Amino acid sequence: MAFAKWIGAFFGLLSGGPFGAIAGYALGYIVDDFISNSNNLLSSDEQKSHTQQKRAGSTNSAGHTRRTTYTSRGSQQEGERNSYLFSLLLLSAHIINADQKIMHSEMEYVRRTLRNNFGPAAESQGNDILLRLFERQKQLGTALWTEQIRQCCYQMVGAMSIEERLQLLAFLCEIAKADGKVAQSEDEEIRNIATWLSINPNEVDKLLHLGTNKLEDAYQVLGVSPDATDDEVKRAYRKMALQYHPDKVATLGDDVKAAAEKKFKEINAAKELIWAARKL
């Protein structure tokens, strides 16, 4: 399975710790293949320099061989993108199985999203990765798996912007709604993830009310009361629009940005409902 065509094994700041361990298990041999081929990310001059250092056996003051660090912007962006995509699948696996039931509707939502936004290969490979993650969850047991997810979320906080983490949370809310109802266990785990991602759990209430044509839901989306003043409503909308604007995740790739645009349209639809009701 050519995971590297969609999600590679180069994770940058998230290469180590629980995140790196789970990613290594889920992606399997592709990790070693990707690392062994990492020189393809280097310019010819960097490759030459790397080769010369290797031949010279250059060492640091402790006598250890120095490792070349690749800091090109292209490599950094690739690491950030891979981190985001794997985080999406990792947290999805946790929420899908939060109630100990792997629902077809929730799996299909993830597959459809991958297919529509990233292509057929992503759908197939993403599905395989999810199955590997379910397998790992079973091996570790609920308590240890949940602790691993918590630690992974802490790593994500250090490697991702708040806007990127909000997009992950929004996707998890959509998964929970995919079967027509949000189980209490799913709701609790999404709120736990929000807390671990340093996001106010109240954000979950906003996201779970997206996508309807009900005025009361629209107020929930903006996090304001129907009794709020026009200025309060406008401020709430501006804050949310800024947080969820697709441009905030543009560096992760056009496909990630396109997925964020759907959420942004739903936020604007909620805003239009309120604006129409208030004749703003």
Side-chain angles (χ1 to χ4, degrees):
M1 292 175 288
F3 291 112
K5 291 183 179 179
W6 174 61
I7 174 173
F10 175 66
F11 294 117
L13 294 177
L14 287 172
S15 294
F19 189 95
I22 294 178
Y25 179 88
L27 296 177
Y29 66 87
I30 194 63
V31 174
D32 293 330
D33 287 348
F34 193 91
I35 291 174
S36 67
N37 292 325
S38 62
N39 279 347
N40 292 332
L41 299 173
L42 302 175
S43 67
S44 58
D45 288 341
E46 288 173 319
Q47 290 182 31
K48 182 178 180 180
S49 175
H50 178 61
T51 301
Q52 290 173 341
Q53 287 183 4
K54 184 176 180 181
R55 288 175 178 172
S58 56
T59 59
N60 60 20
S61 58
H64 298 293
T65 301
R66 285 202 307 265
R67 296 184 63 187
T68 303
T69 56
Y70 311 132
T71 58
S72 70
R73 182 57 188 161
S75 298
Q76 180 181 337
Q77 287 183 336
E78 183 168 8
E80 291 171 355
R81 172 182 166 81
N82 291 340
S83 296
Y84 178 86
L85 293 175
F86 188 78
S87 296
L88 185 149
L89 292 174
L90 176 61
L91 298 180
S92 295
H94 184 63
I95 295 304
I96 288 173
N97 207 23
D99 54 2
Q100 305 301 309
K101 298 177 183 178
I102 301 176
M103 301 294 292
H104 172 76
S105 56
E106 295 173 342
M107 287 291 292
E108 182 55 29
Y109 176 81
V110 176
R111 287 191 291 259
R112 184 172 64 251
T113 300
L114 294 176
R115 179 175 66 250
N116 292 343
N117 291 287
F118 304 101
E123 177 187 6
S124 173
Q125 294 161 7
N127 184 74
D128 289 340
I129 292 172
L130 282 174
L131 294 179
R132 290 277 287 174
L133 290 171
F134 293 143
E135 180 182 285
R136 187 58 173 164
Q137 183 177 12
K138 184 177 180 180
Q139 290 175 353
L140 293 176
T142 301
L144 183 53
W145 168 264
T146 301
E147 175 60 21
Q148 294 266 294
I149 294 297
R150 183 173 71 89
Q151 293 295 332
C152 286
C153 287
Y154 291 163
Q155 287 183 261
M156 293 174 202
V157 172
M160 297 182 188
S161 68
I162 181 62
E163 292 84 7
E164 291 169 351
R165 285 177 271 137
L166 283 169
Q167 290 294 337
L168 290 176
L169 190 68
F171 187 75
L172 299 182
C173 289
E174 291 302 314
I175 291 174
K177 294 192 296 181
D179 59 355
K181 63 182 184 301
V182 180
Q184 182 178 351
S185 57
E186 292 174 328
D187 184 87
E188 291 175 352
E189 285 307 308
I190 291 175
R191 291 176 193 277
N192 284 337
I193 286 174
T195 300
W196 299 336
L197 290 175
S198 293
I199 298 171
N200 189 326
N202 291 336
E203 204 69 27
V204 176
D205 294 316
K206 299 179 182 181
L207 295 168
L208 289 176
H209 285 87
L210 275 172
T212 77
N213 293 316
K214 298 178 181 179
L215 183 60
E216 56 267 34
D217 284 340
Y219 279 109
Q220 290 272 13
V221 168
L222 297 190
V224 295
S225 164
D227 297 328
T229 66
D230 288 348
D231 284 343
E232 289 172 333
V233 171
K234 289 177 180 178
R235 281 198 298 271
Y237 167 72
R238 285 195 294 268
K239 179 181 178 181
M240 197 167 187
L242 184 63
Q243 289 178 319
Y244 287 91
H245 199 285
D247 286 348
K248 296 291 186 177
V249 294
T251 58
L252 298 176
D254 291 340
D255 41 17
V256 174
K257 182 181 177 181
E261 286 172 351
K262 176 180 180 293
K263 193 62 51 191
F264 193 66
K265 289 179 181 177
E266 292 179 345
I267 293 171
N268 278 320
K271 170 245 187 183
E272 292 300 329
L273 277 176
I274 297 175
W275 262 232
R278 291 178 173 241
K279 296 181 171 53
L280 294 176

